[in-house]
Amino acid sequence: MKPFIYPVPEDLEVINLAQGPVYSKEQFYLPERFKPFVEHILLPEGLIQARWERLAERILADYASERELSMIVLMNGGYMFYQDLKDKIDE
C-alpha cells in the first residue's frame, strides 16, 4: 500500500533547517542560566509566531463554509502544538 502524502500547496514557503540561517545567541535575550546550554538559535520566536498566524489563516480560509472545526491531536506530546494553533484560530 502506498502511503498517503499530504499535498503541499505550491505557495507554501518551506523552511529548510539544513540550509537556513543560524542566528547567534547574542542576537536574542536569553536568561543567564540557559546561555551555557545554547549554541545558536535555529528559529526565532517571531518567525514561529508568524507561522502560527499564517497556518491559522489558511485553516480558517479552507474551512470558511463550515460551522464547526474539530481538531484531534495524534502526535505524542503534540498538545502544545495544538494549543498554540487553537489560540491563533480563536483570535
Side-chain angles (χ1 to χ4, degrees), residues 21-26 28 30 38-45:
V22 174
Y23 301 92
S24 167
K25 67 180 177 182
E26 283 74 29
F28 301 92
L30 284 175
V38 175
E39 291 181 24
H40 54 268
I41 308 294
L42 287 177
L43 299 173
E45 177 71 16

Side-chain angles (χ1 to χ4, degrees), residues 3 5 7 15 19 23-24 34-36 38-40 44 46 56 62 64 68 70 76-77 83 87:
I5 298 175
I15 298 174
Q19 297 174 353
Y23 301 92
S24 167
F34 295 136
K35 286 183 180 181
V38 175
E39 291 181 24
H40 54 268
D62 287 349
E68 292 183 16
S70 298
N76 186 18
Q83 189 62 47
D87 290 345

Side-chain angles (χ1 to χ4, degrees), residues 6-12 53-71 85 89:
Y6 183 78
V8 177
E10 290 180 17
D11 63 336
L12 182 67
E53 291 169 10
R54 288 181 18 206
L55 181 57
E57 289 170 1
R58 183 174 216 113
I59 289 171
L60 289 172
D62 287 349
Y63 295 97
S65 63
E66 302 294 326
R67 291 183 335 153
E68 292 183 16
L69 177 63
S70 298
M71 297 171 58
L85 181 58
I89 289 174

